[in-house]
Amino acid sequence: MKYAFPDNFWWGSASSALQTEGAREGETTWDYWFAREPNRFHNGVGPQQTSTFYQNWKTDIQLLKQLNHNSFRTSISWARLIPDGIGEVNPEAVDFYNQVIDELNEQGITPFITLFHFDMPMAMQELGGWENRDVVDAYARYAQICFELFGDRVLHWFTFNEPIVPVEGGYLYDFHYPNVVDFRRAATVAYHTVLAHAKAVQAYRAGHYAGEIGIVLNLTPSYPRSQNPADVKAAHIADLMFNRSFLDPVLRGEYPADLVALLKSYDQLPACKPEDGFLIAEGKIDLLGVNYYQPRRVKCRDSAVNPQAPFMPEWFFDNYEMPGRKMNPYRGWEIYEPGIYDILVNLRDNYGNPRCFISENGMGVENEQRFIENGQINDQYRIEFISEHLTWLHKGISEGCNCLGYHMWTFIDNWSWCNAYKNRYGFIQLDLETQQRTIKKSGEWFAATALNNSFEKE
Ligand code: BGP
């Protein structure tokens, strides 16, 4: 069967500044943390060992072209542009981003730009990071500077990439700096991130720029183990905490009342100011990026909560391992293709069918060299992964979901936070020693799909 996509469908991939650029002086939390705890990073490989986009941006954009991308998302590094977060703008950074943006446009590849992809300038973290409202203001200033510098040529902006991840990693589950485990502080960070987002949207609207502004959220549909009310309630609370804590403010302009009531009853609400509600209402977006990797399966708790233990989302549910689930064993994530459809249907039915696109989807695999045939990685598993997801995406579109494109994570194998280079995601293989780039089979498949705006599958 042939799966054809709407005209002008966005075909592309996503990456981020910190994971690809290298050659950066402005210090981020990642540089600081790596210098102190290299053991936290796979094989002790840190954030300066990148795929050298800072040097190779021009040839990399040629490769994007070869992959028939019509769009490409990357981020601006706040720490490169404004090394101390709040002071002088670095003119070399302005030159660099101008060149990248201009070259993308010249090659017919629409630039999608994220303002914050996990890379907090260390000077801002020293002030308390997202716990401090001064950092919210510094971010709003940074956003405004980006709009002024690049807003004439960048027409698709994203305030944050996966803003729940720094909350989870940095303040609940100990996989990002500052490695705090404290729900109330996590809630404050999440809340201030929403305020920062809303301030950036406000600044964008005030500037009357020609483009649109949105956010990229990682949505993990929450599936209950059964339809038993206790399981359903557990899934509902997981959904409130991990999806709707950002989805509702950015699409509806307010938090879900039952999330607020729940946190209030456990005295976990962040400090609010009377004017915040108005600001959050102003933060409604034009375009939603959806990152989808895995579903969340939950069941009700079987055991009592230890009231002495730190308050955690898991007070309200247990993770459920569904027998027979399909796994990506390298990343430890379940692969569940219909999830992409369920997300789109939820957006259509419960959020007014917003303009959206899949901004990340992907499969990280270890030791891909074992699949080399005639000098090329034959990653048939990745082609399967993409085409299966695309069939569900196609079904959503044919049922009226307003999904405008599909971007993969990622373009060239890149540095992946604490996993460094353990799992490779790229359409293009990176030889870390020589920096040589070689297109994988999946890259060729994607290029053909983008060119034809369709693919064939039985
Ligand atoms: C997303 C991030 C990316 C990327 C990807 C793969 O959450 O937006 O930055 O890294 O996941 O995940 P990981 O690198 O953790 O395997």
Side-chain angles (χ1 to χ4, degrees):
M1 173 171 165
K2 181 171 172 177
Y3 293 89
F5 289 82
D7 288 347
N8 305 316
F9 196 70
W10 293 323
W11 294 105
S13 57
S15 70
S16 84
L18 191 95
Q19 292 175 273
T20 58
E21 291 176 358
R24 178 179 33 78
E25 279 159 26
E27 194 188 25
T28 67
T29 47
W30 293 93
D31 306 296
Y32 179 89
W33 187 30
F34 177 68
R36 274 149 197 86
E37 290 191 81
N39 50 297
R40 294 270 204 157
F41 297 77
H42 184 72
N43 287 344
V45 174
Q48 290 285 0
Q49 249 172 285
T50 65
S51 42
T52 58
F53 186 68
Y54 192 76
Q55 287 87 16
N56 290 308
W57 56 273
K58 202 161 189 168
T59 45
D60 280 355
I61 293 172
Q62 276 310 312
L63 287 168
L64 290 175
K65 187 95 193 130
Q66 237 175 294
L67 295 175
N68 289 328
H69 280 33
N70 59 18
S71 45
F72 172 64
R73 180 169 69 99
T74 187
S75 68
I76 291 175
S77 160
W78 183 1
R80 184 189 295 285
L81 193 72
I82 308 174
D84 67 358
I86 189 66
E88 295 288 303
V89 171
N90 166 12
E92 284 170 26
V94 177
D95 285 348
F96 170 63
Y97 290 118
N98 269 332
Q99 286 174 323
V100 169
I101 290 164
D102 289 345
E103 180 69 12
L104 284 167
N105 277 323
E106 241 161 73
Q107 297 299 329
I109 301 167
T110 305
F112 287 29
I113 299 292
T114 312
L115 292 168
F116 188 92
H117 195 129
F118 307 169
D119 50 351
M120 177 69 83
M122 195 56 209
M124 295 289 95
Q125 190 63 41
E126 278 162 4
L127 297 180
W130 296 119
E131 287 185 85
N132 183 344
R133 283 187 184 238
D134 291 345
V135 172
V136 171
D137 291 335
Y139 167 86
R141 171 183 178 266
Y142 154 67
Q144 175 142 9
I145 289 171
C146 290
F147 303 148
E148 284 165 8
L149 286 169
F150 313 115
D152 55 337
R153 287 152 295 142
V154 173
L155 301 181
H156 307 277
W157 291 94
F158 302 91
T159 55
F160 284 86
N161 176 80
E162 301 190 350
I164 192 83
V165 169
V167 175
E168 293 176 336
Y171 296 86
L172 287 176
Y173 304 121
D174 193 20
F175 63 89
H176 278 203
Y177 191 79
N179 313 95
V180 169
V181 177
D182 182 324
F183 190 98
R184 200 160 190 279
R185 291 175 66 183
T188 301
V189 165
Y191 184 62
H192 287 171
T193 308
V194 167
L195 298 181
H197 157 84
K199 283 197 173 201
V201 172
Q202 240 182 7
Y204 193 72
R205 306 259 184 258
H208 301 290
Y209 295 97
E212 59 183 346
I213 188 157
I215 192 167
V216 170
L217 301 181
N218 52 315
L219 298 180
T220 46
S222 284
Y223 299 106
R225 167 182 60 178
S226 75
Q227 288 306 308
N228 176 291
D231 282 346
V232 171
K233 186 176 174 200
H236 175 67
I237 294 181
D239 186 39
L240 286 176
M241 296 242 185
F242 296 107
N243 298 318
R244 295 187 55 195
S245 52
F246 283 94
L247 192 59
D248 281 41
V250 304
L251 286 178
R252 294 184 172 153
E254 59 183 17
Y255 280 95
D258 44 355
L259 175 62
V260 177
L262 179 72
L263 298 192
K264 193 165 184 205
S265 67
Y266 286 87
D267 193 25
Q268 297 291 334
L269 276 183
C272 305
K273 291 190 177 176
E275 61 273 24
D276 291 349
F278 176 72
L279 177 63
I280 293 168
E282 296 248 294
K284 284 204 249 173
I285 55 171
D286 308 315
L287 174 65
L288 177 69
V290 175
N291 291 358
Y292 176 64
Y293 288 91
Q294 56 168 342
R296 180 186 297 275
R297 296 191 189 276
V298 298
K299 59 182 181 181
C300 63
R301 285 185 62 103
D302 297 327
S303 57
V305 160
N306 170 4
Q308 309 305 320
F311 178 81
M312 284 297 235
E314 288 74 9
W315 279 31
F316 304 98
F317 60 84
D318 264 340
N319 290 311
Y320 174 57
E321 280 191 20
M322 185 181 76
R325 66 200 175 135
K326 185 163 33 160
M327 288 296 290
N328 170 355
Y330 315 103
R331 190 60 177 81
W333 285 345
E334 182 183 342
I335 299 175
Y336 183 66
E337 300 89 347
I340 217 164
Y341 169 79
D342 292 342
I343 290 171
L344 295 178
V345 167
N346 178 40
L347 291 172
R348 183 193 67 192
D349 295 349
N350 299 314
Y351 291 89
N353 208 12
R355 283 164 60 75
C356 67
F357 74 113
I358 300 302
S359 40
E360 284 182 31
N361 180 220
M363 187 185 185
V365 172
E366 219 168 327
N367 185 19
E368 282 197 308
Q369 284 91 326
R370 74 196 128 127
F371 301 110
I372 291 182
E373 285 170 15
N374 304 321
Q376 183 186 44
I377 291 179
N378 185 355
D379 51 347
Q380 197 53 43
Y381 43 87
R382 185 168 287 111
I383 296 172
E384 286 292 311
F385 179 97
I386 303 171
S387 59
E388 279 294 319
H389 281 87
L390 278 174
T391 58
W392 285 97
L393 176 62
H394 186 271
K395 179 170 157 65
I397 293 173
S398 67
E399 294 173 15
C401 299
N402 202 1
C403 180
L404 307 171
Y406 179 79
H407 281 188
M408 273 295 278
W409 187 268
T410 182
F411 143 61
I412 293 183
D413 292 338
N414 65 22
W415 184 82
S416 264
W417 319 108
C418 296
N419 278 327
Y421 288 94
K422 176 177 169 288
N423 305 315
R424 306 298 182 101
Y425 285 86
F427 282 133
I428 296 175
Q429 177 197 2
L430 175 74
D431 183 323
L432 264 182
E433 301 293 304
T434 62
Q435 286 287 318
Q436 198 195 319
R437 284 113 156 98
T438 315
I439 298 186
K440 302 178 193 174
K441 255 281 177 302
S442 62
E444 290 174 354
W445 184 89
F446 190 83
T449 301
L451 182 72
N452 300 328
N453 205 27
S454 66
F455 68 96
E456 300 272 349
K457 195 173 163 66
E458 279 161 29

PDB file of all heavy atoms in Angstrom, residues 301-314:
ATOM      1  N   ARG A 301      -0.863   1.459  42.811  1.00  0.00           N
ATOM      2  CA  ARG A 301       0.128   0.922  43.750  1.00  0.00           C
ATOM      3  C   ARG A 301      -0.463  -0.244  44.526  1.00  0.00           C
ATOM      4  O   ARG A 301      -1.630  -0.222  44.903  1.00  0.00           O
ATOM      5  CB  ARG A 301       0.535   2.010  44.735  1.00  0.00           C
ATOM      6  CG  ARG A 301       1.458   3.058  44.173  1.00  0.00           C
ATOM      7  CD  ARG A 301       1.855   3.989  45.300  1.00  0.00           C
ATOM      8  NE  ARG A 301       2.573   3.254  46.336  1.00  0.00           N
ATOM      9  CZ  ARG A 301       3.880   3.283  46.496  1.00  0.00           C
ATOM     10  NH1 ARG A 301       4.625   4.033  45.710  1.00  0.00           N
ATOM     11  NH2 ARG A 301       4.463   2.591  47.447  1.00  0.00           N
ATOM     12  N   ASP A 302       0.372  -1.253  44.776  1.00  0.00           N
ATOM     13  CA  ASP A 302      -0.089  -2.374  45.592  1.00  0.00           C
ATOM     14  C   ASP A 302       0.336  -2.190  47.037  1.00  0.00           C
ATOM     15  O   ASP A 302      -0.232  -2.752  47.950  1.00  0.00           O
ATOM     16  CB  ASP A 302       0.502  -3.696  45.070  1.00  0.00           C
ATOM     17  CG  ASP A 302       0.014  -3.989  43.663  1.00  0.00           C
ATOM     18  OD1 ASP A 302      -1.139  -3.620  43.366  1.00  0.00           O
ATOM     19  OD2 ASP A 302       0.789  -4.546  42.865  1.00  0.00           O
ATOM     20  N   SER A 303       1.404  -1.396  47.231  1.00  0.00           N
ATOM     21  CA  SER A 303       1.929  -1.247  48.590  1.00  0.00           C
ATOM     22  C   SER A 303       1.645   0.177  49.076  1.00  0.00           C
ATOM     23  O   SER A 303       1.422   1.090  48.280  1.00  0.00           O
ATOM     24  CB  SER A 303       3.435  -1.491  48.576  1.00  0.00           C
ATOM     25  OG  SER A 303       4.025  -0.591  47.667  1.00  0.00           O
ATOM     26  N   ALA A 304       1.697   0.331  50.383  1.00  0.00           N
ATOM     27  CA  ALA A 304       1.446   1.656  50.966  1.00  0.00           C
ATOM     28  C   ALA A 304       2.657   2.545  50.745  1.00  0.00           C
ATOM     29  O   ALA A 304       3.783   2.068  50.639  1.00  0.00           O
ATOM     30  CB  ALA A 304       1.171   1.496  52.454  1.00  0.00           C
ATOM     31  N   VAL A 305       2.396   3.827  50.687  1.00  0.00           N
ATOM     32  CA  VAL A 305       3.484   4.807  50.567  1.00  0.00           C
ATOM     33  C   VAL A 305       4.192   4.940  51.903  1.00  0.00           C
ATOM     34  O   VAL A 305       3.548   4.887  52.952  1.00  0.00           O
ATOM     35  CB  VAL A 305       2.865   6.160  50.139  1.00  0.00           C
ATOM     36  CG1 VAL A 305       3.778   7.314  50.451  1.00  0.00           C
ATOM     37  CG2 VAL A 305       2.487   6.127  48.670  1.00  0.00           C
ATOM     38  N   ASN A 306       5.507   5.079  51.859  1.00  0.00           N
ATOM     39  CA  ASN A 306       6.245   5.381  53.090  1.00  0.00           C
ATOM     40  C   ASN A 306       6.179   6.891  53.324  1.00  0.00           C
ATOM     41  O   ASN A 306       6.793   7.656  52.580  1.00  0.00           O
ATOM     42  CB  ASN A 306       7.698   4.918  52.918  1.00  0.00           C
ATOM     43  CG  ASN A 306       8.589   5.402  54.052  1.00  0.00           C
ATOM     44  OD1 ASN A 306       8.099   6.018  55.000  1.00  0.00           O
ATOM     45  ND2 ASN A 306       9.880   5.135  53.939  1.00  0.00           N
ATOM     46  N   PRO A 307       5.449   7.339  54.313  1.00  0.00           N
ATOM     47  CA  PRO A 307       5.270   8.789  54.477  1.00  0.00           C
ATOM     48  C   PRO A 307       6.555   9.527  54.841  1.00  0.00           C
ATOM     49  O   PRO A 307       6.618  10.756  54.738  1.00  0.00           O
ATOM     50  CB  PRO A 307       4.232   8.891  55.600  1.00  0.00           C
ATOM     51  CG  PRO A 307       4.233   7.573  56.282  1.00  0.00           C
ATOM     52  CD  PRO A 307       4.748   6.555  55.320  1.00  0.00           C
ATOM     53  N   GLN A 308       7.588   8.780  55.251  1.00  0.00           N
ATOM     54  CA  GLN A 308       8.880   9.421  55.560  1.00  0.00           C
ATOM     55  C   GLN A 308       9.707   9.656  54.295  1.00  0.00           C
ATOM     56  O   GLN A 308      10.635  10.451  54.289  1.00  0.00           O
ATOM     57  CB  GLN A 308       9.743   8.539  56.497  1.00  0.00           C
ATOM     58  CG  GLN A 308       9.050   8.045  57.750  1.00  0.00           C
ATOM     59  CD  GLN A 308       8.465   9.189  58.551  1.00  0.00           C
ATOM     60  OE1 GLN A 308       9.074  10.247  58.690  1.00  0.00           O
ATOM     61  NE2 GLN A 308       7.256   8.988  59.052  1.00  0.00           N
ATOM     62  N   ALA A 309       9.392   8.909  53.229  1.00  0.00           N
ATOM     63  CA  ALA A 309      10.183   9.003  51.988  1.00  0.00           C
ATOM     64  C   ALA A 309       9.848  10.304  51.274  1.00  0.00           C
ATOM     65  O   ALA A 309       8.788  10.890  51.506  1.00  0.00           O
ATOM     66  CB  ALA A 309       9.857   7.805  51.094  1.00  0.00           C
ATOM     67  N   PRO A 310      10.755  10.761  50.383  1.00  0.00           N
ATOM     68  CA  PRO A 310      10.432  11.986  49.646  1.00  0.00           C
ATOM     69  C   PRO A 310       9.136  11.835  48.856  1.00  0.00           C
ATOM     70  O   PRO A 310       8.896  10.769  48.273  1.00  0.00           O
ATOM     71  CB  PRO A 310      11.623  12.158  48.684  1.00  0.00           C
ATOM     72  CG  PRO A 310      12.665  11.195  49.104  1.00  0.00           C
ATOM     73  CD  PRO A 310      12.039  10.177  50.005  1.00  0.00           C
ATOM     74  N   PHE A 311       8.345  12.898  48.839  1.00  0.00           N
ATOM     75  CA  PHE A 311       7.120  12.911  48.035  1.00  0.00           C
ATOM     76  C   PHE A 311       7.511  12.775  46.566  1.00  0.00           C
ATOM     77  O   PHE A 311       8.384  13.494  46.082  1.00  0.00           O
ATOM     78  CB  PHE A 311       6.377  14.232  48.265  1.00  0.00           C
ATOM     79  CG  PHE A 311       5.122  14.378  47.466  1.00  0.00           C
ATOM     80  CD1 PHE A 311       3.937  13.793  47.886  1.00  0.00           C
ATOM     81  CD2 PHE A 311       5.113  15.121  46.287  1.00  0.00           C
ATOM     82  CE1 PHE A 311       2.765  13.927  47.149  1.00  0.00           C
ATOM     83  CE2 PHE A 311       3.945  15.266  45.543  1.00  0.00           C
ATOM     84  CZ  PHE A 311       2.772  14.667  45.977  1.00  0.00           C
ATOM     85  N   MET A 312       6.879  11.834  45.857  1.00  0.00           N
ATOM     86  CA  MET A 312       7.240  11.575  44.458  1.00  0.00           C
ATOM     87  C   MET A 312       5.978  11.308  43.648  1.00  0.00           C
ATOM     88  O   MET A 312       4.973  10.880  44.207  1.00  0.00           O
ATOM     89  CB  MET A 312       8.134  10.319  44.370  1.00  0.00           C
ATOM     90  CG  MET A 312       9.556  10.516  44.802  1.00  0.00           C
ATOM     91  SD  MET A 312      10.408  11.709  43.740  1.00  0.00           S
ATOM     92  CE  MET A 312      11.790  10.729  43.251  1.00  0.00           C
ATOM     93  N   PRO A 313       6.058  11.505  42.314  1.00  0.00           N
ATOM     94  CA  PRO A 313       4.897  11.139  41.479  1.00  0.00           C
ATOM     95  C   PRO A 313       4.460   9.697  41.729  1.00  0.00           C
ATOM     96  O   PRO A 313       3.270   9.383  41.688  1.00  0.00           O
ATOM     97  CB  PRO A 313       5.434  11.311  40.044  1.00  0.00           C
ATOM     98  CG  PRO A 313       6.511  12.343  40.171  1.00  0.00           C
ATOM     99  CD  PRO A 313       7.140  12.101  41.516  1.00  0.00           C
ATOM    100  N   GLU A 314       5.420   8.825  42.015  1.00  0.00           N
ATOM    101  CA  GLU A 314       5.125   7.397  42.190  1.00  0.00           C
ATOM    102  C   GLU A 314       4.353   7.106  43.479  1.00  0.00           C
ATOM    103  O   GLU A 314       4.055   5.950  43.766  1.00  0.00           O
ATOM    104  CB  GLU A 314       6.417   6.578  42.149  1.00  0.00           C
ATOM    105  CG  GLU A 314       7.037   6.461  40.772  1.00  0.00           C
ATOM    106  CD  GLU A 314       7.716   7.742  40.289  1.00  0.00           C
ATOM    107  OE1 GLU A 314       7.865   8.693  41.103  1.00  0.00           O
ATOM    108  OE2 GLU A 314       8.087   7.810  39.103  1.00  0.00           O
TER     109      GLU A 314
END
